Amino acid sequence: MPDSVVGTIGHDLHRTRRSVLNPYFSKSSIRRFEDRIQNTAGKLMGRLVEAGEIGEILPIKLAFKAATCDVISEYCFGVSTGYVEHDDYNRGWFDAVDAMFYMAWPMTYISWLGPLMERLPPSVIGLMHPGLKSLWDMHSVSPDTVFQCMRIC
């Protein structure tokens, strides 16, 4: 789209890139995973029923984020994060992800901030923002560990 503010790649390139991912999102692939999706949905429903019985106000947006993360991590890596089962749905981790997105723009314009943050030890990062430590731990996992998790599924 000439003179466009937001341009897109060509359709042929998009179709080629998308074709690599298509087998993972086919109806048959999702159906094979349905029991695990239902398992996570069942855990979430249990938490909803429990909250209703005791009159607890449930952070529904956070609960859905946790369930989504559980399903996606199990589908991609064969191991669920189990965030639905955490008392607080692992709020710290989601707050850290949100903080990371909020920091994207400042880090774009303050070029030395990103490298400085990367050099900080995880213990200091944990003091600054508790959820950032778990995000950093996830970032620093070796590729061999990721591939090993992928072999499990």
mmCIF file with all atom_site columns, all heavy atoms in Angstrom, residues 27-54:
data_model
loop_
_atom_site.group_PDB
_atom_site.id
_atom_site.type_symbol
_atom_site.label_atom_id
_atom_site.label_alt_id
_atom_site.label_comp_id
_atom_site.label_asym_id
_atom_site.label_entity_id
_atom_site.label_seq_id
_atom_site.pdbx_PDB_ins_code
_atom_site.Cartn_x
_atom_site.Cartn_y
_atom_site.Cartn_z
_atom_site.occupancy
_atom_site.B_iso_or_equiv
_atom_site.pdbx_formal_charge
_atom_site.auth_seq_id
_atom_site.auth_comp_id
_atom_site.auth_asym_id
_atom_site.auth_atom_id
_atom_site.pdbx_PDB_model_num
ATOM 1   N N   . LYS A 1 27 ? -8.013  -28.273 12.325 1.00 0.00 ? 27 LYS A N   1
ATOM 2   C CA  . LYS A 1 27 ? -9.073  -28.802 13.193 1.00 0.00 ? 27 LYS A CA  1
ATOM 3   C C   . LYS A 1 27 ? -8.648  -30.099 13.860 1.00 0.00 ? 27 LYS A C   1
ATOM 4   O O   . LYS A 1 27 ? -8.908  -30.319 15.046 1.00 0.00 ? 27 LYS A O   1
ATOM 5   C CB  . LYS A 1 27 ? -10.351 -29.017 12.390 1.00 0.00 ? 27 LYS A CB  1
ATOM 6   C CG  . LYS A 1 27 ? -11.058 -27.754 12.010 1.00 0.00 ? 27 LYS A CG  1
ATOM 7   C CD  . LYS A 1 27 ? -12.343 -28.052 11.255 1.00 0.00 ? 27 LYS A CD  1
ATOM 8   C CE  . LYS A 1 27 ? -13.003 -26.753 10.830 1.00 0.00 ? 27 LYS A CE  1
ATOM 9   N NZ  . LYS A 1 27 ? -14.253 -27.015 10.099 1.00 0.00 ? 27 LYS A NZ  1
ATOM 10  N N   . SER A 1 28 ? -7.958  -30.958 13.122 1.00 0.00 ? 28 SER A N   1
ATOM 11  C CA  . SER A 1 28 ? -7.566  -32.250 13.701 1.00 0.00 ? 28 SER A CA  1
ATOM 12  C C   . SER A 1 28 ? -6.522  -32.075 14.805 1.00 0.00 ? 28 SER A C   1
ATOM 13  O O   . SER A 1 28 ? -6.560  -32.777 15.814 1.00 0.00 ? 28 SER A O   1
ATOM 14  C CB  . SER A 1 28 ? -7.053  -33.196 12.618 1.00 0.00 ? 28 SER A CB  1
ATOM 15  O OG  . SER A 1 28 ? -5.920  -32.660 11.976 1.00 0.00 ? 28 SER A OG  1
ATOM 16  N N   . SER A 1 29 ? -5.603  -31.124 14.629 1.00 0.00 ? 29 SER A N   1
ATOM 17  C CA  . SER A 1 29 ? -4.598  -30.873 15.676 1.00 0.00 ? 29 SER A CA  1
ATOM 18  C C   . SER A 1 29 ? -5.251  -30.359 16.954 1.00 0.00 ? 29 SER A C   1
ATOM 19  O O   . SER A 1 29 ? -4.906  -30.788 18.055 1.00 0.00 ? 29 SER A O   1
ATOM 20  C CB  . SER A 1 29 ? -3.564  -29.856 15.203 1.00 0.00 ? 29 SER A CB  1
ATOM 21  O OG  . SER A 1 29 ? -2.765  -30.388 14.202 1.00 0.00 ? 29 SER A OG  1
ATOM 22  N N   . ILE A 1 30 ? -6.180  -29.461 16.798 1.00 0.00 ? 30 ILE A N   1
ATOM 23  C CA  . ILE A 1 30 ? -6.868  -28.906 17.968 1.00 0.00 ? 30 ILE A CA  1
ATOM 24  C C   . ILE A 1 30 ? -7.746  -29.968 18.622 1.00 0.00 ? 30 ILE A C   1
ATOM 25  O O   . ILE A 1 30 ? -7.803  -30.064 19.849 1.00 0.00 ? 30 ILE A O   1
ATOM 26  C CB  . ILE A 1 30 ? -7.703  -27.663 17.568 1.00 0.00 ? 30 ILE A CB  1
ATOM 27  C CG1 . ILE A 1 30 ? -6.798  -26.568 16.974 1.00 0.00 ? 30 ILE A CG1 1
ATOM 28  C CG2 . ILE A 1 30 ? -8.489  -27.131 18.756 1.00 0.00 ? 30 ILE A CG2 1
ATOM 29  C CD1 . ILE A 1 30 ? -5.677  -26.092 17.870 1.00 0.00 ? 30 ILE A CD1 1
ATOM 30  N N   . ARG A 1 31 ? -8.398  -30.803 17.827 1.00 0.00 ? 31 ARG A N   1
ATOM 31  C CA  . ARG A 1 31 ? -9.228  -31.878 18.395 1.00 0.00 ? 31 ARG A CA  1
ATOM 32  C C   . ARG A 1 31 ? -8.389  -32.858 19.209 1.00 0.00 ? 31 ARG A C   1
ATOM 33  O O   . ARG A 1 31 ? -8.829  -33.358 20.239 1.00 0.00 ? 31 ARG A O   1
ATOM 34  C CB  . ARG A 1 31 ? -9.976  -32.610 17.293 1.00 0.00 ? 31 ARG A CB  1
ATOM 35  C CG  . ARG A 1 31 ? -11.178 -31.853 16.818 1.00 0.00 ? 31 ARG A CG  1
ATOM 36  C CD  . ARG A 1 31 ? -12.061 -32.708 15.921 1.00 0.00 ? 31 ARG A CD  1
ATOM 37  N NE  . ARG A 1 31 ? -13.144 -31.894 15.435 1.00 0.00 ? 31 ARG A NE  1
ATOM 38  C CZ  . ARG A 1 31 ? -13.371 -31.651 14.146 1.00 0.00 ? 31 ARG A CZ  1
ATOM 39  N NH1 . ARG A 1 31 ? -12.595 -32.185 13.221 1.00 0.00 ? 31 ARG A NH1 1
ATOM 40  N NH2 . ARG A 1 31 ? -14.379 -30.898 13.789 1.00 0.00 ? 31 ARG A NH2 1
ATOM 41  N N   . ARG A 1 32 ? -7.183  -33.159 18.742 1.00 0.00 ? 32 ARG A N   1
ATOM 42  C CA  . ARG A 1 32 ? -6.305  -34.064 19.495 1.00 0.00 ? 32 ARG A CA  1
ATOM 43  C C   . ARG A 1 32 ? -5.912  -33.460 20.836 1.00 0.00 ? 32 ARG A C   1
ATOM 44  O O   . ARG A 1 32 ? -5.578  -34.174 21.769 1.00 0.00 ? 32 ARG A O   1
ATOM 45  C CB  . ARG A 1 32 ? -5.043  -34.390 18.685 1.00 0.00 ? 32 ARG A CB  1
ATOM 46  C CG  . ARG A 1 32 ? -5.260  -35.400 17.589 1.00 0.00 ? 32 ARG A CG  1
ATOM 47  C CD  . ARG A 1 32 ? -3.950  -35.926 17.033 1.00 0.00 ? 32 ARG A CD  1
ATOM 48  N NE  . ARG A 1 32 ? -3.089  -34.883 16.493 1.00 0.00 ? 32 ARG A NE  1
ATOM 49  C CZ  . ARG A 1 32 ? -3.089  -34.448 15.240 1.00 0.00 ? 32 ARG A CZ  1
ATOM 50  N NH1 . ARG A 1 32 ? -3.940  -34.962 14.367 1.00 0.00 ? 32 ARG A NH1 1
ATOM 51  N NH2 . ARG A 1 32 ? -2.266  -33.523 14.841 1.00 0.00 ? 32 ARG A NH2 1
ATOM 52  N N   . PHE A 1 33 ? -5.964  -32.155 20.937 1.00 0.00 ? 33 PHE A N   1
ATOM 53  C CA  . PHE A 1 33 ? -5.576  -31.464 22.161 1.00 0.00 ? 33 PHE A CA  1
ATOM 54  C C   . PHE A 1 33 ? -6.777  -31.117 23.033 1.00 0.00 ? 33 PHE A C   1
ATOM 55  O O   . PHE A 1 33 ? -6.625  -30.600 24.132 1.00 0.00 ? 33 PHE A O   1
ATOM 56  C CB  . PHE A 1 33 ? -4.803  -30.193 21.770 1.00 0.00 ? 33 PHE A CB  1
ATOM 57  C CG  . PHE A 1 33 ? -4.037  -29.571 22.879 1.00 0.00 ? 33 PHE A CG  1
ATOM 58  C CD1 . PHE A 1 33 ? -2.904  -30.184 23.395 1.00 0.00 ? 33 PHE A CD1 1
ATOM 59  C CD2 . PHE A 1 33 ? -4.443  -28.375 23.430 1.00 0.00 ? 33 PHE A CD2 1
ATOM 60  C CE1 . PHE A 1 33 ? -2.200  -29.614 24.431 1.00 0.00 ? 33 PHE A CE1 1
ATOM 61  C CE2 . PHE A 1 33 ? -3.739  -27.793 24.468 1.00 0.00 ? 33 PHE A CE2 1
ATOM 62  C CZ  . PHE A 1 33 ? -2.610  -28.414 24.968 1.00 0.00 ? 33 PHE A CZ  1
ATOM 63  N N   . GLU A 1 34 ? -7.961  -31.431 22.563 1.00 0.00 ? 34 GLU A N   1
ATOM 64  C CA  . GLU A 1 34 ? -9.190  -31.004 23.233 1.00 0.00 ? 34 GLU A CA  1
ATOM 65  C C   . GLU A 1 34 ? -9.281  -31.445 24.688 1.00 0.00 ? 34 GLU A C   1
ATOM 66  O O   . GLU A 1 34 ? -9.705  -30.677 25.552 1.00 0.00 ? 34 GLU A O   1
ATOM 67  C CB  . GLU A 1 34 ? -10.408 -31.508 22.473 1.00 0.00 ? 34 GLU A CB  1
ATOM 68  C CG  . GLU A 1 34 ? -11.710 -31.034 23.069 1.00 0.00 ? 34 GLU A CG  1
ATOM 69  C CD  . GLU A 1 34 ? -12.924 -31.517 22.301 1.00 0.00 ? 34 GLU A CD  1
ATOM 70  O OE1 . GLU A 1 34 ? -12.762 -32.220 21.291 1.00 0.00 ? 34 GLU A OE1 1
ATOM 71  O OE2 . GLU A 1 34 ? -14.037 -31.187 22.742 1.00 0.00 ? 34 GLU A OE2 1
ATOM 72  N N   . ASP A 1 35 ? -8.864  -32.672 25.004 1.00 0.00 ? 35 ASP A N   1
ATOM 73  C CA  . ASP A 1 35 ? -8.976  -33.148 26.383 1.00 0.00 ? 35 ASP A CA  1
ATOM 74  C C   . ASP A 1 35 ? -8.151  -32.298 27.345 1.00 0.00 ? 35 ASP A C   1
ATOM 75  O O   . ASP A 1 35 ? -8.563  -32.023 28.467 1.00 0.00 ? 35 ASP A O   1
ATOM 76  C CB  . ASP A 1 35 ? -8.603  -34.625 26.486 1.00 0.00 ? 35 ASP A CB  1
ATOM 77  C CG  . ASP A 1 35 ? -7.185  -34.920 26.046 1.00 0.00 ? 35 ASP A CG  1
ATOM 78  O OD1 . ASP A 1 35 ? -6.677  -34.221 25.146 1.00 0.00 ? 35 ASP A OD1 1
ATOM 79  O OD2 . ASP A 1 35 ? -6.577  -35.865 26.597 1.00 0.00 ? 35 ASP A OD2 1
ATOM 80  N N   . ARG A 1 36 ? -6.998  -31.828 26.886 1.00 0.00 ? 36 ARG A N   1
ATOM 81  C CA  . ARG A 1 36 ? -6.164  -30.987 27.760 1.00 0.00 ? 36 ARG A CA  1
ATOM 82  C C   . ARG A 1 36 ? -6.745  -29.580 27.895 1.00 0.00 ? 36 ARG A C   1
ATOM 83  O O   . ARG A 1 36 ? -6.641  -28.963 28.954 1.00 0.00 ? 36 ARG A O   1
ATOM 84  C CB  . ARG A 1 36 ? -4.732  -30.964 27.255 1.00 0.00 ? 36 ARG A CB  1
ATOM 85  C CG  . ARG A 1 36 ? -4.083  -32.347 27.486 1.00 0.00 ? 36 ARG A CG  1
ATOM 86  C CD  . ARG A 1 36 ? -2.680  -32.399 27.032 1.00 0.00 ? 36 ARG A CD  1
ATOM 87  N NE  . ARG A 1 36 ? -2.686  -32.986 25.693 1.00 0.00 ? 36 ARG A NE  1
ATOM 88  C CZ  . ARG A 1 36 ? -1.622  -33.153 24.945 1.00 0.00 ? 36 ARG A CZ  1
ATOM 89  N NH1 . ARG A 1 36 ? -0.450  -32.778 25.390 1.00 0.00 ? 36 ARG A NH1 1
ATOM 90  N NH2 . ARG A 1 36 ? -1.703  -33.699 23.770 1.00 0.00 ? 36 ARG A NH2 1
ATOM 91  N N   . ILE A 1 37 ? -7.367  -29.088 26.833 1.00 0.00 ? 37 ILE A N   1
ATOM 92  C CA  . ILE A 1 37 ? -8.050  -27.799 26.920 1.00 0.00 ? 37 ILE A CA  1
ATOM 93  C C   . ILE A 1 37 ? -9.216  -27.911 27.893 1.00 0.00 ? 37 ILE A C   1
ATOM 94  O O   . ILE A 1 37 ? -9.417  -27.042 28.755 1.00 0.00 ? 37 ILE A O   1
ATOM 95  C CB  . ILE A 1 37 ? -8.541  -27.336 25.529 1.00 0.00 ? 37 ILE A CB  1
ATOM 96  C CG1 . ILE A 1 37 ? -7.354  -27.065 24.609 1.00 0.00 ? 37 ILE A CG1 1
ATOM 97  C CG2 . ILE A 1 37 ? -9.426  -26.096 25.649 1.00 0.00 ? 37 ILE A CG2 1
ATOM 98  C CD1 . ILE A 1 37 ? -7.733  -26.811 23.153 1.00 0.00 ? 37 ILE A CD1 1
ATOM 99  N N   . GLN A 1 38 ? -9.982  -29.016 27.779 1.00 0.00 ? 38 GLN A N   1
ATOM 100 C CA  . GLN A 1 38 ? -11.111 -29.237 28.684 1.00 0.00 ? 38 GLN A CA  1
ATOM 101 C C   . GLN A 1 38 ? -10.648 -29.377 30.136 1.00 0.00 ? 38 GLN A C   1
ATOM 102 O O   . GLN A 1 38 ? -11.335 -28.925 31.055 1.00 0.00 ? 38 GLN A O   1
ATOM 103 C CB  . GLN A 1 38 ? -11.893 -30.492 28.258 1.00 0.00 ? 38 GLN A CB  1
ATOM 104 C CG  . GLN A 1 38 ? -12.618 -30.349 26.949 1.00 0.00 ? 38 GLN A CG  1
ATOM 105 C CD  . GLN A 1 38 ? -13.803 -29.405 27.036 1.00 0.00 ? 38 GLN A CD  1
ATOM 106 O OE1 . GLN A 1 38 ? -14.285 -29.075 28.115 1.00 0.00 ? 38 GLN A OE1 1
ATOM 107 N NE2 . GLN A 1 38 ? -14.265 -28.951 25.888 1.00 0.00 ? 38 GLN A NE2 1
ATOM 108 N N   . ASN A 1 39 ? -9.485  -29.991 30.335 1.00 0.00 ? 39 ASN A N   1
ATOM 109 C CA  . ASN A 1 39 ? -8.938  -30.131 31.687 1.00 0.00 ? 39 ASN A CA  1
ATOM 110 C C   . ASN A 1 39 ? -8.677  -28.760 32.306 1.00 0.00 ? 39 ASN A C   1
ATOM 111 O O   . ASN A 1 39 ? -9.055  -28.500 33.452 1.00 0.00 ? 39 ASN A O   1
ATOM 112 C CB  . ASN A 1 39 ? -7.658  -30.967 31.636 1.00 0.00 ? 39 ASN A CB  1
ATOM 113 C CG  . ASN A 1 39 ? -7.087  -31.234 33.000 1.00 0.00 ? 39 ASN A CG  1
ATOM 114 O OD1 . ASN A 1 39 ? -7.805  -31.378 33.983 1.00 0.00 ? 39 ASN A OD1 1
ATOM 115 N ND2 . ASN A 1 39 ? -5.769  -31.303 33.065 1.00 0.00 ? 39 ASN A ND2 1
ATOM 116 N N   . THR A 1 40 ? -8.054  -27.875 31.547 1.00 0.00 ? 40 THR A N   1
ATOM 117 C CA  . THR A 1 40 ? -7.781  -26.528 32.050 1.00 0.00 ? 40 THR A CA  1
ATOM 118 C C   . THR A 1 40 ? -9.085  -25.777 32.272 1.00 0.00 ? 40 THR A C   1
ATOM 119 O O   . THR A 1 40 ? -9.244  -25.083 33.288 1.00 0.00 ? 40 THR A O   1
ATOM 120 C CB  . THR A 1 40 ? -6.871  -25.750 31.071 1.00 0.00 ? 40 THR A CB  1
ATOM 121 O OG1 . THR A 1 40 ? -5.632  -26.453 30.952 1.00 0.00 ? 40 THR A OG1 1
ATOM 122 C CG2 . THR A 1 40 ? -6.597  -24.354 31.561 1.00 0.00 ? 40 THR A CG2 1
ATOM 123 N N   . ALA A 1 41 ? -10.024 -25.907 31.339 1.00 0.00 ? 41 ALA A N   1
ATOM 124 C CA  . ALA A 1 41 ? -11.325 -25.244 31.494 1.00 0.00 ? 41 ALA A CA  1
ATOM 125 C C   . ALA A 1 41 ? -12.039 -25.759 32.742 1.00 0.00 ? 41 ALA A C   1
ATOM 126 O O   . ALA A 1 41 ? -12.682 -24.986 33.466 1.00 0.00 ? 41 ALA A O   1
ATOM 127 C CB  . ALA A 1 41 ? -12.178 -25.460 30.259 1.00 0.00 ? 41 ALA A CB  1
ATOM 128 N N   . GLY A 1 42 ? -11.918 -27.055 33.012 1.00 0.00 ? 42 GLY A N   1
ATOM 129 C CA  . GLY A 1 42 ? -12.526 -27.624 34.213 1.00 0.00 ? 42 GLY A CA  1
ATOM 130 C C   . GLY A 1 42 ? -11.925 -27.056 35.487 1.00 0.00 ? 42 GLY A C   1
ATOM 131 O O   . GLY A 1 42 ? -12.651 -26.777 36.454 1.00 0.00 ? 42 GLY A O   1
ATOM 132 N N   . LYS A 1 43 ? -10.617 -26.888 35.505 1.00 0.00 ? 43 LYS A N   1
ATOM 133 C CA  . LYS A 1 43 ? -9.966  -26.286 36.671 1.00 0.00 ? 43 LYS A CA  1
ATOM 134 C C   . LYS A 1 43 ? -10.431 -24.849 36.871 1.00 0.00 ? 43 LYS A C   1
ATOM 135 O O   . LYS A 1 43 ? -10.689 -24.412 37.999 1.00 0.00 ? 43 LYS A O   1
ATOM 136 C CB  . LYS A 1 43 ? -8.443  -26.321 36.511 1.00 0.00 ? 43 LYS A CB  1
ATOM 137 C CG  . LYS A 1 43 ? -7.857  -27.705 36.596 1.00 0.00 ? 43 LYS A CG  1
ATOM 138 C CD  . LYS A 1 43 ? -6.365  -27.680 36.331 1.00 0.00 ? 43 LYS A CD  1
ATOM 139 C CE  . LYS A 1 43 ? -5.784  -29.080 36.280 1.00 0.00 ? 43 LYS A CE  1
ATOM 140 N NZ  . LYS A 1 43 ? -4.365  -29.078 35.935 1.00 0.00 ? 43 LYS A NZ  1
ATOM 141 N N   . LEU A 1 44 ? -10.554 -24.117 35.767 1.00 0.00 ? 44 LEU A N   1
ATOM 142 C CA  . LEU A 1 44 ? -11.025 -22.734 35.856 1.00 0.00 ? 44 LEU A CA  1
ATOM 143 C C   . LEU A 1 44 ? -12.468 -22.699 36.355 1.00 0.00 ? 44 LEU A C   1
ATOM 144 O O   . LEU A 1 44 ? -12.806 -21.887 37.223 1.00 0.00 ? 44 LEU A O   1
ATOM 145 C CB  . LEU A 1 44 ? -10.914 -22.046 34.492 1.00 0.00 ? 44 LEU A CB  1
ATOM 146 C CG  . LEU A 1 44 ? -11.396 -20.598 34.424 1.00 0.00 ? 44 LEU A CG  1
ATOM 147 C CD1 . LEU A 1 44 ? -10.612 -19.714 35.385 1.00 0.00 ? 44 LEU A CD1 1
ATOM 148 C CD2 . LEU A 1 44 ? -11.275 -20.067 33.001 1.00 0.00 ? 44 LEU A CD2 1
ATOM 149 N N   . MET A 1 45 ? -13.312 -23.580 35.848 1.00 0.00 ? 45 MET A N   1
ATOM 150 C CA  . MET A 1 45 ? -14.704 -23.636 36.305 1.00 0.00 ? 45 MET A CA  1
ATOM 151 C C   . MET A 1 45 ? -14.778 -23.972 37.792 1.00 0.00 ? 45 MET A C   1
ATOM 152 O O   . MET A 1 45 ? -15.598 -23.414 38.519 1.00 0.00 ? 45 MET A O   1
ATOM 153 C CB  . MET A 1 45 ? -15.498 -24.664 35.494 1.00 0.00 ? 45 MET A CB  1
ATOM 154 C CG  . MET A 1 45 ? -15.821 -24.209 34.090 1.00 0.00 ? 45 MET A CG  1
ATOM 155 S SD  . MET A 1 45 ? -16.762 -22.677 34.014 1.00 0.00 ? 45 MET A SD  1
ATOM 156 C CE  . MET A 1 45 ? -18.253 -23.152 34.871 1.00 0.00 ? 45 MET A CE  1
ATOM 157 N N   . GLY A 1 46 ? -13.899 -24.869 38.242 1.00 0.00 ? 46 GLY A N   1
ATOM 158 C CA  . GLY A 1 46 ? -13.853 -25.188 39.666 1.00 0.00 ? 46 GLY A CA  1
ATOM 159 C C   . GLY A 1 46 ? -13.531 -23.968 40.509 1.00 0.00 ? 46 GLY A C   1
ATOM 160 O O   . GLY A 1 46 ? -14.139 -23.743 41.563 1.00 0.00 ? 46 GLY A O   1
ATOM 161 N N   . ARG A 1 47 ? -12.587 -23.167 40.027 1.00 0.00 ? 47 ARG A N   1
ATOM 162 C CA  . ARG A 1 47 ? -12.238 -21.932 40.743 1.00 0.00 ? 47 ARG A CA  1
ATOM 163 C C   . ARG A 1 47 ? -13.408 -20.941 40.739 1.00 0.00 ? 47 ARG A C   1
ATOM 164 O O   . ARG A 1 47 ? -13.654 -20.255 41.731 1.00 0.00 ? 47 ARG A O   1
ATOM 165 C CB  . ARG A 1 47 ? -11.010 -21.263 40.121 1.00 0.00 ? 47 ARG A CB  1
ATOM 166 C CG  . ARG A 1 47 ? -9.705  -22.027 40.191 1.00 0.00 ? 47 ARG A CG  1
ATOM 167 C CD  . ARG A 1 47 ? -9.057  -22.009 41.568 1.00 0.00 ? 47 ARG A CD  1
ATOM 168 N NE  . ARG A 1 47 ? -8.838  -20.714 42.139 1.00 0.00 ? 47 ARG A NE  1
ATOM 169 C CZ  . ARG A 1 47 ? -7.718  -19.990 42.082 1.00 0.00 ? 47 ARG A CZ  1
ATOM 170 N NH1 . ARG A 1 47 ? -6.676  -20.459 41.435 1.00 0.00 ? 47 ARG A NH1 1
ATOM 171 N NH2 . ARG A 1 47 ? -7.618  -18.823 42.674 1.00 0.00 ? 47 ARG A NH2 1
ATOM 172 N N   . LEU A 1 48 ? -14.139 -20.873 39.617 1.00 0.00 ? 48 LEU A N   1
ATOM 173 C CA  . LEU A 1 48 ? -15.293 -19.972 39.528 1.00 0.00 ? 48 LEU A CA  1
ATOM 174 C C   . LEU A 1 48 ? -16.394 -20.396 40.501 1.00 0.00 ? 48 LEU A C   1
ATOM 175 O O   . LEU A 1 48 ? -16.973 -19.562 41.206 1.00 0.00 ? 48 LEU A O   1
ATOM 176 C CB  . LEU A 1 48 ? -15.845 -19.952 38.100 1.00 0.00 ? 48 LEU A CB  1
ATOM 177 C CG  . LEU A 1 48 ? -14.978 -19.295 37.037 1.00 0.00 ? 48 LEU A CG  1
ATOM 178 C CD1 . LEU A 1 48 ? -15.544 -19.551 35.642 1.00 0.00 ? 48 LEU A CD1 1
ATOM 179 C CD2 . LEU A 1 48 ? -14.841 -17.807 37.278 1.00 0.00 ? 48 LEU A CD2 1
ATOM 180 N N   . VAL A 1 49 ? -16.670 -21.704 40.549 1.00 0.00 ? 49 VAL A N   1
ATOM 181 C CA  . VAL A 1 49 ? -17.692 -22.221 41.460 1.00 0.00 ? 49 VAL A CA  1
ATOM 182 C C   . VAL A 1 49 ? -17.282 -21.961 42.911 1.00 0.00 ? 49 VAL A C   1
ATOM 183 O O   . VAL A 1 49 ? -18.085 -21.505 43.733 1.00 0.00 ? 49 VAL A O   1
ATOM 184 C CB  . VAL A 1 49 ? -17.932 -23.731 41.215 1.00 0.00 ? 49 VAL A CB  1
ATOM 185 C CG1 . VAL A 1 49 ? -18.754 -24.357 42.326 1.00 0.00 ? 49 VAL A CG1 1
ATOM 186 C CG2 . VAL A 1 49 ? -18.577 -23.945 39.859 1.00 0.00 ? 49 VAL A CG2 1
ATOM 187 N N   . GLU A 1 50 ? -16.030 -22.228 43.221 1.00 0.00 ? 50 GLU A N   1
ATOM 188 C CA  . GLU A 1 50 ? -15.520 -22.006 44.580 1.00 0.00 ? 50 GLU A CA  1
ATOM 189 C C   . GLU A 1 50 ? -15.655 -20.541 44.979 1.00 0.00 ? 50 GLU A C   1
ATOM 190 O O   . GLU A 1 50 ? -16.095 -20.233 46.085 1.00 0.00 ? 50 GLU A O   1
ATOM 191 C CB  . GLU A 1 50 ? -14.055 -22.439 44.638 1.00 0.00 ? 50 GLU A CB  1
ATOM 192 C CG  . GLU A 1 50 ? -13.399 -22.286 45.988 1.00 0.00 ? 50 GLU A CG  1
ATOM 193 C CD  . GLU A 1 50 ? -11.918 -22.670 45.937 1.00 0.00 ? 50 GLU A CD  1
ATOM 194 O OE1 . GLU A 1 50 ? -11.581 -23.649 45.243 1.00 0.00 ? 50 GLU A OE1 1
ATOM 195 O OE2 . GLU A 1 50 ? -11.118 -21.972 46.581 1.00 0.00 ? 50 GLU A OE2 1
ATOM 196 N N   . ALA A 1 51 ? -15.314 -19.636 44.078 1.00 0.00 ? 51 ALA A N   1
ATOM 197 C CA  . ALA A 1 51 ? -15.426 -18.200 44.364 1.00 0.00 ? 51 ALA A CA  1
ATOM 198 C C   . ALA A 1 51 ? -16.881 -17.819 44.589 1.00 0.00 ? 51 ALA A C   1
ATOM 199 O O   . ALA A 1 51 ? -17.194 -17.011 45.474 1.00 0.00 ? 51 ALA A O   1
ATOM 200 C CB  . ALA A 1 51 ? -14.821 -17.386 43.222 1.00 0.00 ? 51 ALA A CB  1
ATOM 201 N N   . GLY A 1 52 ? -17.782 -18.411 43.806 1.00 0.00 ? 52 GLY A N   1
ATOM 202 C CA  . GLY A 1 52 ? -19.199 -18.113 43.970 1.00 0.00 ? 52 GLY A CA  1
ATOM 203 C C   . GLY A 1 52 ? -19.739 -18.602 45.296 1.00 0.00 ? 52 GLY A C   1
ATOM 204 O O   . GLY A 1 52 ? -20.570 -17.934 45.930 1.00 0.00 ? 52 GLY A O   1
ATOM 205 N N   . GLU A 1 53 ? -19.270 -19.756 45.740 1.00 0.00 ? 53 GLU A N   1
ATOM 206 C CA  . GLU A 1 53 ? -19.757 -20.328 47.003 1.00 0.00 ? 53 GLU A CA  1
ATOM 207 C C   . GLU A 1 53 ? -19.328 -19.513 48.213 1.00 0.00 ? 53 GLU A C   1
ATOM 208 O O   . GLU A 1 53 ? -20.068 -19.402 49.181 1.00 0.00 ? 53 GLU A O   1
ATOM 209 C CB  . GLU A 1 53 ? -19.266 -21.768 47.147 1.00 0.00 ? 53 GLU A CB  1
ATOM 210 C CG  . GLU A 1 53 ? -19.955 -22.737 46.206 1.00 0.00 ? 53 GLU A CG  1
ATOM 211 C CD  . GLU A 1 53 ? -19.346 -24.126 46.229 1.00 0.00 ? 53 GLU A CD  1
ATOM 212 O OE1 . GLU A 1 53 ? -18.271 -24.323 46.849 1.00 0.00 ? 53 GLU A OE1 1
ATOM 213 O OE2 . GLU A 1 53 ? -19.933 -25.025 45.595 1.00 0.00 ? 53 GLU A OE2 1
ATOM 214 N N   . ILE A 1 54 ? -18.126 -18.945 48.162 1.00 0.00 ? 54 ILE A N   1
ATOM 215 C CA  . ILE A 1 54 ? -17.642 -18.188 49.320 1.00 0.00 ? 54 ILE A CA  1
ATOM 216 C C   . ILE A 1 54 ? -17.844 -16.675 49.151 1.00 0.00 ? 54 ILE A C   1
ATOM 217 O O   . ILE A 1 54 ? -17.500 -15.907 50.031 1.00 0.00 ? 54 ILE A O   1
ATOM 218 C CB  . ILE A 1 54 ? -16.161 -18.497 49.625 1.00 0.00 ? 54 ILE A CB  1
ATOM 219 C CG1 . ILE A 1 54 ? -15.249 -18.084 48.467 1.00 0.00 ? 54 ILE A CG1 1
ATOM 220 C CG2 . ILE A 1 54 ? -15.987 -19.961 49.968 1.00 0.00 ? 54 ILE A CG2 1
ATOM 221 C CD1 . ILE A 1 54 ? -13.766 -18.227 48.785 1.00 0.00 ? 54 ILE A CD1 1
#
